[in-house]
Amino acid sequence: MKKILIFIGPPGSGKGTQAKLLAKKYGYKHISTGDLFRALSEDETATEKEKQALEEMKSGKLVSDWLVYNLAFKEIKKNLESNVGVVLDGAIRSLEQAKEFQKFFEENNWGEEIQAIEVSLSDDESFNRLAKRRICSKCGEIIPYLSTTKDLSDCPKCDGELIYRQDDSEEIIKKRIEEQGNISLYPIVNYYKNLGSLKSVDGNQAIEIVEKQIENIVKL
Ligand code: AP5
Ligand code: MG
């Protein structure tokens, strides 16, 4: 199994849901740049420059590349050097970033360790899911909007309070899909296709089916 699993997909496609399941199953480290940014925005030791860069996130735009690389490369290195594989969730959102990550992987002799997984979903379905998504304020569990979960008020894992994410307002979801949805992903998907490292799954299936198909990909 490859040591670097890269999830690519529009907002709401299920990157976080699937990355968490996969990381837990195989003892890999789940690295979500969105989560790293949200943690940094709560961190009192964040610098002025970092705080300024994070402002972009509030309006649904991409955060500056330098901050992506600063946070993501450190986490990746720390884990791979300890022989713990990584599941990258949303860490790559432009062709420039894909090239920079590739350079970083090759410089560290990890060029053969890459499996990119595209989770495809229409922009309309992304919107529907995000508008109804809740997360646990305590453990970060992601709650889908299903008949079995829609009436929950507490987290089924830890009893924490379920809340809506700050950037899941209608206006910001639209902006995120406009800036980070399918159109922006084509060049990235093509990049990994040309490297021979890409597999795709249809994200518009039940969570367990998507999970099974991803497992079949990574076990190859
Ligand atoms: P991030 O936190 O990554 O947000 P995102 O890309 O908008 O993706 P989401 O987390 O909203 O969706 P997801 O694909 O993880 O779906 P989920 O599993 O939750 O990034 C936040 C911000 O940080 C970005 O907007 C940007 O500003 C910045 N950023 C991050 N990385 C960056 C980078 N590399 N460069 C620059 N800026 C960056 O699922 C969604 C919902 O659907 C949930 O309710 C879930 O339960 C449900 N669901 C999942 N799968 C299914 C299914 N199969 N069927 C039914 N429901 C499902
Ligand atoms: Mg996510």
Side-chain angles (χ1 to χ4, degrees):
M1 192 166 142
K2 305 280 188 194
K3 284 280 180 199
I4 302 170
L5 309 175
I6 302 174
F7 275 100
I8 302 164
S13 54
K15 302 182 297 293
T17 302
Q18 295 298 335
K20 277 174 191 273
L21 290 167
L22 198 60
K24 189 165 178 215
K25 175 145 197 172
Y26 293 103
Y28 276 35
K29 174 73 180 172
H30 171 216
I31 301 176
S32 152
T33 36
D35 287 349
L36 290 173
F37 294 150
R38 281 183 285 277
L40 186 62
S41 68
E42 309 267 290
D43 184 344
E44 284 169 9
T45 65
T47 64
E48 273 312 308
K49 198 177 164 210
E50 287 171 335
K51 281 187 203 157
Q52 221 172 356
L54 289 172
E55 283 298 307
E56 301 291 13
M57 190 167 73
K58 291 189 188 147
S59 55
K61 293 188 193 145
L62 287 181
V63 170
S64 302
D65 288 348
W66 65 266
L67 191 53
V68 176
Y69 306 146
N70 272 7
L71 298 186
F73 290 177
K74 195 163 82 190
E75 272 296 295
I76 294 169
K77 215 163 193 246
K78 189 173 80 188
N79 284 282
L80 289 180
E81 284 179 353
S82 314
N83 209 22
V84 175
V86 293
V87 185
L88 304 186
D89 163 7
I92 297 170
R93 302 197 189 214
S94 67
L95 184 58
E96 294 68 36
Q97 288 184 3
K99 289 180 181 164
E100 198 61 28
F101 271 78
Q102 188 64 20
K103 200 169 120 208
F104 165 71
F105 294 143
E106 284 173 6
E107 279 168 3
N108 286 282
N109 294 320
W110 297 321
E112 298 299 314
E113 287 296 339
I114 297 159
Q115 176 66 65
I117 304 156
E118 177 196 18
V119 184
S120 65
L121 196 72
S122 71
D123 290 344
D124 283 350
E125 186 53 27
S126 292
F127 181 87
N128 292 337
R129 284 189 189 173
L130 293 180
K132 291 177 177 159
R133 170 175 58 188
R134 292 180 299 161
I135 53 164
C136 173
S137 57
K138 222 160 116 189
C139 74
E141 180 73 4
I142 304 168
I143 312 293
Y145 189 82
L146 303 172
S147 56
T148 47
T149 54
K150 68 183 171 60
D151 296 324
L152 291 174
S153 52
D154 299 324
C155 175
K157 291 243 165 97
C158 77
D159 278 342
E161 187 195 357
L162 298 183
I163 54 167
Y164 291 95
R165 226 170 76 179
Q166 252 176 18
D167 58 349
D168 279 346
S169 71
E170 207 169 289
E171 186 195 344
I172 299 176
I173 295 173
K174 279 188 189 147
K175 187 80 190 159
R176 271 153 67 209
I177 291 176
E178 202 178 292
E179 299 233 343
Q180 306 174 47
N182 281 303
I183 292 177
S184 72
L185 297 178
Y186 291 132
I188 309 173
V189 167
N190 273 330
Y191 180 77
Y192 286 106
K193 221 181 249 173
N194 290 335
L195 284 180
S197 313
L198 184 84
K199 294 275 183 206
S200 300
V201 293
D202 175 3
N204 202 14
Q205 309 176 85
I207 293 176
E208 309 74 51
I209 296 179
V210 179
E211 182 187 5
K212 192 88 218 132
Q213 292 182 352
I214 291 173
E215 262 182 61
N216 289 338
I217 291 172
V218 300
K219 280 194 303 199
L220 281 178

